[in-house]
Amino acid sequence: MLYQTPNPHGGDIYQEEITLDYSANTNPFGTPQGVLDAICQALPQVHHYPDPYCRKLVRAIADFEALPQSDILCGNGAAELIYAYCEAVRPRKAVELAPTFSEYSLGLQRVGCPVQRYFLTRENSFSLDARFLAFLKDEKPDVVFLCNPNNPTGKSIPVPLLEEILRLCKRENIRLFLDECFADLSDECVSLKGALRENPNLFLLKAFTKSYGMAGVRLGYGLSADRELLGRMSGATQPWNVSALAQAAGVAALREEQFLQDTRVLVQRERAWLKAELEGLGFWVCPSGVNFLLFQGPVGLREALQKRHIAIRDCTNYHGLTEGWYRIAVRLHTENEQLIAAMKLVLGKE
C-alpha cells in the first residue's frame, strides 16, 4: 500500500469521479467473461490458503509458453517480480532507457543501485538504435532493464538489434531484464523466450494485467533458465503471495486465445483512428505498435479533461519527458469518440 507518497502511475480512479479512464493501458474489452466466471467459481475456496507453489497455474503457463515449469516464477503482479529481481541480483550498476516504466529504477533504488539512462528522443521517434550497443560497452553495467514494447512510447526494439544486445550481454556477463508485458497486444514484438536456454543471464517479465484486463487481480510471472536466480527471487517474496482467486483467473485467462486475437485487431484499427485524430488537433504523436499512444500537446490538458471526468496519463514524471507529454490507452470506438470530442471542447475546436 502506498502511504503518504505520490502514485507514479495511471489508473487512480478512486479519489475523483472518472467516467472514462484513458490513463491505464489495459485491454479495451476489459476482462474476459471466462476469467470472471473462474473467479466466481473459486470463491467458495477462499477459506483455504492459496497454493504457495501455484501448481495449476505454473502448469498452464508452461503449456502456454512451451517452456519447462522450472523456468517459471509467479508473482503478485509484475511489479512484485521487479522488486524481487532487484533484491535477488543486487546489482552495483544498472542501465535503463528514458523514458521507460518507472518501477525498474524504483526497485533498483531500494537496493542502493545507481542507474545510468540512455535517452530516447522525439527526433528519432523514441526508437532504440545501434548506438545503444556502444553505450552498454562504455557503461559496463551489471544489469540492463529493457521494456519491449516500451512504456510509454509503444515502440518495439527491432529483432536484429535485440538479438545483438542479448549477444553483447552474454559476452560481457551482463544480466538482461526484458519486460514483455505488452508483447501479447503488440503488432510486431517478438518474444525472446526461445533464447532462454542458451542465455541464463536473460530474465523475461510477463503479466496478465494488460493483455487480459486483470489489473485489479495482481498477477504476473517471470521466465528464466537461471533456477538459482528464481530461487533467490522466491526468497524475496512472502509465502502465499498469489491469491487463490488470482491463480484461478490466470489459468482461465490462458485459454482466451481468441480474445487476444480480437483485441489485436481492434487495437490496430482504433490506434490508427486515434493517431489521425490527435494529429488533426495539432499534436505530435509517437508511432506505436501497441495499445497506447504517447503524444505531445498543450500543458494543462490532463487537468482540463479531468474536469470532464476523463483521465489521461500525465507523463511529466517519466525521465526524458516534460510538461505537455501525455499517454492515452486505445479503447473502444465509442469511447475514443468521446475522448476526442472532449479534447476538441477544451481546446475550443468544436
Side-chain angles (χ1 to χ4, degrees), residues 149-184:
N150 193 25
N151 176 11
T153 66
K155 304 285 289 188
S156 293
I157 303 170
V159 173
L161 176 58
L162 188 57
E163 291 175 342
E164 184 58 36
I165 292 170
L166 181 60
R167 285 193 290 269
L168 185 151
C169 288
K170 184 176 183 179
R171 190 166 60 245
E172 301 294 331
N173 196 29
I174 300 171
R175 288 188 178 272
L176 176 57
F177 182 106
L178 187 62
D179 182 343
E180 294 186 344
C181 286
F182 288 102
D184 289 337

Side-chain angles (χ1 to χ4, degrees), residues 65-333:
E65 299 286 5
L67 291 171
Q69 295 182 35
S70 56
D71 289 1
I72 299 164
L73 180 67
C74 297
N76 186 260
E80 181 184 54
L81 293 165
I82 293 170
Y83 284 85
Y85 182 90
C86 294
E87 178 67 30
V89 173
R90 290 194 161 267
R92 293 164 297 176
K93 184 179 183 181
V95 159
E96 69 174 19
L97 303 182
T100 198
F101 188 49
S102 62
E103 292 298 328
Y104 313 139
S105 58
L106 292 173
L108 291 163
Q109 180 180 315
R110 285 194 179 183
V111 296
C113 176
V115 180
Q116 295 297 319
R117 295 185 173 89
Y118 183 84
F119 284 85
L120 307 171
T121 65
R122 169 179 158 167
E123 290 69 30
N124 197 30
S125 295
F126 294 98
S127 298
L128 189 65
D129 58 34
R131 288 174 290 184
F132 183 62
L133 298 170
F135 180 82
L136 288 181
K137 291 177 182 178
D138 289 342
E139 291 295 335
K140 298 179 173 58
D142 298 309
V143 60
V144 180
F145 283 78
L146 294 176
C147 187
N148 191 39
N150 193 25
N151 176 11
T153 66
K155 304 285 289 188
S156 293
I157 303 170
V159 173
L161 176 58
L162 188 57
E163 291 175 342
E164 184 58 36
I165 292 170
L166 181 60
R167 285 193 290 269
L168 185 151
C169 288
K170 184 176 183 179
R171 190 166 60 245
E172 301 294 331
N173 196 29
I174 300 171
R175 288 188 178 272
L176 176 57
F177 182 106
L178 187 62
D179 182 343
E180 294 186 344
C181 286
F182 288 102
D184 289 337
L185 297 182
S186 168
D187 300 343
E188 55 193 17
C189 181
V190 176
S191 174
L192 279 191
K193 63 182 181 181
L196 287 169
R197 290 286 91 195
E198 292 74 33
N199 295 273
N201 61 317
L202 174 63
F203 179 88
L204 302 183
L205 182 68
K206 304 271 285 190
F208 292 81
T209 306
K210 318 298 183 183
S211 302
Y212 302 100
M214 289 167 51
V217 175
R218 309 310 305 137
L219 182 61
Y221 59 95
L223 304 173
S224 175
D226 185 346
R227 298 179 186 179
E228 183 182 350
L229 169 66
L230 297 182
R232 294 200 305 272
M233 289 178 63
S234 176
T237 62
Q238 61 172 318
W240 310 296
N241 59 326
V242 181
S243 74
L245 300 182
Q247 292 184 41
V251 171
L254 293 173
R255 305 188 190 110
E256 298 285 346
E257 183 178 349
Q258 187 61 49
F259 179 81
L260 283 185
Q261 291 178 8
D262 294 343
T263 301
R264 284 189 288 267
V265 171
L266 173 78
V267 165
Q268 192 171 30
R269 181 180 69 243
E270 290 302 314
R271 186 182 63 234
W273 185 87
L274 273 172
K275 185 174 185 290
E277 291 290 324
L278 292 170
E279 290 174 337
L281 293 173
F283 304 158
W284 184 88
V285 185
C286 183
S288 169
V290 74
N291 64 320
F292 52 87
L293 289 167
L294 174 71
F295 68 95
Q296 191 172 24
V299 174
L301 180 61
R302 183 190 71 84
E303 291 79 7
L305 289 172
Q306 192 165 320
K307 291 178 181 178
R308 297 179 178 276
H309 310 296
I310 298 173
I312 65 173
R313 177 69 157 86
D314 186 331
C315 294
T316 307
N317 68 321
Y318 280 95
H319 290 282
L321 299 179
T322 55
E323 284 190 309
W325 283 99
Y326 307 97
R327 188 197 69 203
I328 59 168
V330 175
R331 300 190 59 82
L332 302 178
H333 188 67

